[in-house]
Amino acid sequence: MKDGTAKIMNQNQYASQKTNIQEAIGGRQRLIESGQTINFTDTRLEPRTAVGVSKDGNKVYLLIVDGRRSGYSIGAEYALLAKIFQMYGVYNAINLDGGGSTTLWTEKTGVINHPYDNKRFDHEGERSVPNLILVY
């Protein structure tokens, strides 16, 4: 937000807050809303990228889970992401995307996880995606 805090909002909240937004990114499945876990019907194990925010909006939590690799990581369901976020006191959280889009990169080491791209024969490597969260 323009005041330096972070928020996770639904479409109704966005409509009333859009003039206060500094930067934004869209997400998919809400995981935690006002401190409460959402009831999930989707129990698929998938690679995941998720973001959570503290109640005061001063802390942002990033979570990635690799998947689709037997013997390394089979992924996570939404309920597990929510449980991990709750362990850290996250007040609102949302799943952003997954699959080959789940990539963690640092300037010092490059890609540090094992992205899975089902569009490539060997399934190795990052997928081209137009969105990212940059921590500077």
Side-chain angles (χ1 to χ4, degrees), residues 9-45:
M9 297 182 278
N10 61 35
Q11 288 181 337
N12 292 333
Q13 293 165 321
Y14 167 79
S16 67
Q17 292 287 316
K18 64 183 175 182
T19 58
N20 298 319
I21 295 173
Q22 181 72 31
E23 300 287 338
I25 189 166
R28 292 182 179 227
Q29 173 66 48
R30 290 292 291 259
L31 302 169
I32 299 173
E33 190 167 3
S34 300
Q36 301 299 310
T37 300
I38 305 298
N39 290 325
F40 307 104
T41 57
D42 185 343
T43 59
R44 290 176 294 159
L45 298 171

Side-chain angles (χ1 to χ4, degrees), residues 69 114-118 120-127:
R69 295 187 185 278
H114 297 281
Y116 182 96
D117 188 349
N118 59 3
R120 294 173 51 141
F121 176 74
D122 63 0
H123 302 298
E124 293 286 336
E126 312 102 85
R127 186 181 301 159

Side-chain angles (χ1 to χ4, degrees), residues 55-132:
K55 186 174 184 176
D56 63 7
N58 289 321
K59 290 183 183 173
V60 174
Y61 300 81
L62 302 174
L63 175 62
I64 68 158
V65 177
D66 281 330
R68 300 183 188 146
R69 295 187 185 278
S70 181
Y72 172 70
S73 175
I74 58 172
E77 60 187 13
Y78 294 134
L80 179 58
L81 297 180
K83 194 176 288 188
I84 292 168
F85 277 135
Q86 281 189 316
M87 288 174 19
Y88 289 94
V90 169
Y91 192 69
N92 286 296
I94 191 166
N95 184 68
L96 300 176
D97 199 2
S101 302
T102 296
T103 304
L104 181 61
W105 182 93
T106 69
E107 184 176 19
K108 186 175 183 178
T109 60
V111 176
I112 61 174
N113 71 316
H114 297 281
Y116 182 96
D117 188 349
N118 59 3
K119 295 187 179 357
R120 294 173 51 141
F121 176 74
D122 63 0
H123 302 298
E124 293 286 336
E126 312 102 85
R127 186 181 301 159
S128 297
V129 292
N131 294 318
L132 63 94

